[in-house]
Amino acid sequence: MQLISLKSNQTSFRPVLFKNKVGLNIIVAEQNIEEADYKKNSFNGVGKSLLMAIIQFCLGSSKKDSFKNNLSGWEFILDFEINGNRYESSRSTDKQNVIRLNGENLKLSNFNQKLGELLFDIPENTSSLSFRALFPFFYRPRRGSFLDFKNPNTLKVDYQILLANSFLLGLDIFLVKEKQELKAEKDRIKDLLGQLNSDPVLKDFFLGERDSELATQDLAERISGLESDLLSFTIAEDYYDIKKDADELKRSISKLQNEIFLLENQISNIQSSLETTPDISKEKIIKIYEESSVNFSSELKKSLEDLNNFYSQIAKNRIKRLSGQKQEIIREVEQKKELLKKSHKQFDEKLQYLNVHQALDVFVQLTNKLSALKTEKEQIENYQKLLKEYHSTKLTIDKKFLEATANTEIYLNDVKDFVKGISDFFRALAKSFYPNSVAGLSLSNNENENSIRFNFDAKIESDSSDGISNVKIFCYDLTILLLGQNHSMSSIFHDSRLLDGIDPRQIATLFKIANEYITANNKQYIITMNQNHIDELRVQLSDNEFDTIVRPNICHIIGDDKPENKLLGIQVDMKYEA
């Protein structure tokens, strides 16, 4: 990809023409010389970073609310080439979900997929690799992109960072993926075990306080017993009615038994009364009086005889009455005993029925209990299965980890000349800046149990400049552009942030290197600069070098003296990230 121009549908916008498809394209943020005071004024707000944001916008970046809120009605048009073919992409700030590519409206996802196919040879089943994930290595989009040479996307996942760099360097990304997948599988099983540890049913087994095999056997026996009971279970719809009748019969039997007991006591009392005779004969009465020396007249004796006869009659009547009462009670007892016998029979029949038949809710309770036991048994069996799977998987993964580590060692030995070539190129670039520093790309096998396949770094060991990190970024990006693999990118774009902190002498070196390598390899280098950087280059470069490298390659100047000289041609304050 090489940029040709950036335009807008708004007349205030100052079109940016990238006049050199091969070589340097310098965009300068210029200060009003009369008002310039580098200690007080800055070049912020003139449009340097906004330029990058708009280019990213035209190349499928995420939606930007700041564009819609502050630039409603605007449309930006980017012209570029890929492998000699001309393309034009345009995107509206109001309808950001659509990008027009060579007259065809594409959804954001379809546009990015198409650009990915045109610019990168991305293998299938590598979702972490995409156009938007790889493009920032060539067009670093934001402030955070200049903090780490290998992480322009400011990602927090080391695996994704390594995968993208390995892809662009031409390393075997399947070795990278393999280790990440092995670690992910191991973590998955470990997480499942952790969930088991929090399960109240399985926690004791997990901690080793109970034996899962014995518990499973016990549950199987209990389940078998319940299933047997349920098979012989007979449900009675009138169970509770029968039970109610049985309870009533029991109370009735108890009452009858008490009544019979009381009646038999009455019979016993009557019998005792019959056996007791209170009669006193007339002779006994006379004898008692004679012994008391009392003489009875004939008339008195006659009266005593009448009294005796009367009393005798009363005694006979008493016996008759008691005997009659006794017979009545005996008959009542017999009747109650007969009723008791029938009640016992009925009670026994109902008990027998209840023993054979049971209530529906009892059946439901037993069924629920059976279901609970089966669930518990299933949990324990799943635990045993998962435990076996974990141990088996762990052994398999451990084995694969060792095999992958050994394969990686063989691979690194096979490609050591290839890697050395890339490292030597990077080192040559770095030594142009720091001749006495140790520099190069380091790549080694990461044998630790993690998801990172390679230990990868770019090093420039020096303490002579605060701008080493930014120099490292320049050298690495140029290395990826010129020696990198799996891409059709022909340009890189650096924001003026790259130059912050770099010594003016090294900035001059940077432009010499860029001019030499970029032009020799038919590539394009785009950079935004502040006026003070231009002034420093005038000092550090010879007049011929300045007139050859810098002056003719300035393609656009953004001024700060008035709004119409800024990129948009208007004064707008908004927050955005490319």
Side-chain angles (χ1 to χ4, degrees), residues 201-212 215 380 383:
V201 175
L202 302 177
K203 189 173 183 179
D204 289 343
F205 299 118
F206 189 87
L207 297 176
E209 296 178 4
R210 294 178 61 193
D211 188 293
S212 60
I380 298 174
Y383 162 76

Side-chain angles (χ1 to χ4, degrees), residues 267-278 315-324 326-327:
I267 293 172
S268 178
N269 290 335
I270 291 173
Q271 185 62 35
S272 297
S273 296
L274 288 174
E275 293 174 355
T276 303
T277 55
K316 291 178 180 178
N317 290 338
R318 173 177 172 273
I319 291 172
K320 181 180 179 181
R321 177 177 57 79
L322 290 174
S323 298
K326 178 181 176 183
Q327 293 303 316

Side-chain angles (χ1 to χ4, degrees), residues 65-236:
D65 291 338
S66 60
F67 279 21
K68 183 175 182 180
N69 295 335
N70 296 282
L71 300 175
S72 180
W74 283 63
E75 183 177 343
F76 297 102
I77 303 101
L78 181 69
D79 286 326
F80 56 95
E81 280 189 6
I82 298 177
N83 296 327
N85 297 315
R86 188 79 171 260
Y87 295 89
E88 179 186 273
S89 67
S90 60
R91 190 177 183 186
S92 167
T93 59
D94 295 325
K95 298 179 180 179
Q96 299 186 25
N97 59 326
V98 173
I99 296 183
R100 181 179 290 270
L101 181 65
N102 288 354
E104 180 185 3
N105 286 335
L106 297 174
K107 291 182 179 179
L108 203 58
S109 58
N110 293 338
F111 175 87
N112 287 327
Q113 181 179 352
K114 187 172 184 65
L115 265 290
E117 293 170 354
L118 289 171
L119 290 169
F120 299 101
D121 299 324
I122 301 173
E124 294 182 358
N125 303 319
T126 50
S127 57
S128 294
L129 296 178
S130 65
F131 167 65
R132 291 306 312 171
L134 298 169
F135 186 64
F137 282 87
F138 303 88
Y139 286 51
R140 292 183 178 256
R142 58 185 71 87
R143 184 182 303 276
S145 301
F146 293 89
L147 298 177
D148 184 351
F149 78 95
K150 60 184 175 183
N151 189 19
N153 290 302
T154 62
L155 299 173
K156 295 182 179 180
V157 181
D158 291 338
Y159 160 72
Q160 293 179 350
I161 297 171
L162 177 62
L163 185 68
N165 282 274
S166 298
F167 175 77
L168 292 174
L169 288 169
L171 301 175
D172 190 339
I173 63 169
F174 294 102
L175 288 174
V176 179
K177 281 187 63 182
E178 179 187 31
K179 188 173 183 183
Q180 189 272 340
E181 290 168 356
L182 288 173
K183 183 62 166 61
E185 178 63 11
K186 194 167 188 176
D187 289 343
R188 182 186 71 83
I189 301 296
K190 186 177 180 180
D191 288 342
L192 288 175
L193 284 178
Q195 294 173 19
L196 292 180
N197 187 24
S198 62
D199 189 304
V201 175
L202 302 177
K203 189 173 183 179
D204 289 343
F205 299 118
F206 189 87
L207 297 176
E209 296 178 4
R210 294 178 61 193
D211 188 293
S212 60
E213 291 290 343
L214 295 178
T216 304
Q217 293 176 11
D218 179 67
L219 285 169
E221 292 175 0
R222 293 167 65 186
I223 289 169
S224 178
L226 270 177
E227 287 177 337
S228 177
D229 290 343
L230 287 171
L231 283 175
S232 60
F233 200 101
T234 305
I235 300 174

Side-chain angles (χ1 to χ4, degrees), residues 298-316:
S298 58
E299 291 80 5
L300 183 58
K301 290 181 179 179
K302 187 176 186 312
S303 297
L304 288 171
E305 184 178 352
D306 292 336
L307 180 61
N308 182 58
N309 290 334
F310 175 74
Y311 185 82
S312 176
Q313 186 62 42
I314 290 175
K316 291 178 180 178

Side-chain angles (χ1 to χ4, degrees), residues 18-62:
F18 304 96
K19 61 182 182 180
N20 298 320
K21 286 197 298 182
V22 174
L24 276 61
N25 288 268
I26 303 171
I27 295 98
V28 180
E30 189 177 66
Q31 274 192 317
N32 187 313
I33 297 176
E34 295 179 359
E35 299 179 0
D37 184 347
Y38 297 141
K39 294 182 179 179
K40 296 181 180 179
N41 299 334
S42 72
F43 299 93
N44 296 331
V46 297
K48 302 189 305 298
S49 297
L50 178 60
L51 173 62
M52 173 62 79
I54 294 173
I55 291 173
Q56 295 282 348
F57 183 73
C58 291
L59 292 175
S61 66
S62 59

Side-chain angles (χ1 to χ4, degrees), residues 476-495:
Y476 184 72
D477 289 358
L478 197 60
T479 300
I480 290 293
L481 177 68
L482 301 181
L483 296 188
Q485 305 289 310
N486 303 312
H487 71 81
S488 299
M489 292 294 298
S490 297
S491 63
I492 51 177
F493 191 150
H494 285 147
D495 187 84

Side-chain angles (χ1 to χ4, degrees), residues 15 17 45 124 164 250 253 295 316 388-389 409 423 428 460:
L17 302 179
E124 294 182 358
K250 185 177 180 181
I253 289 171
N295 295 320
K316 291 178 180 178
K388 291 177 182 177
E389 179 186 353
E409 202 65 39
S423 179
I460 302 177

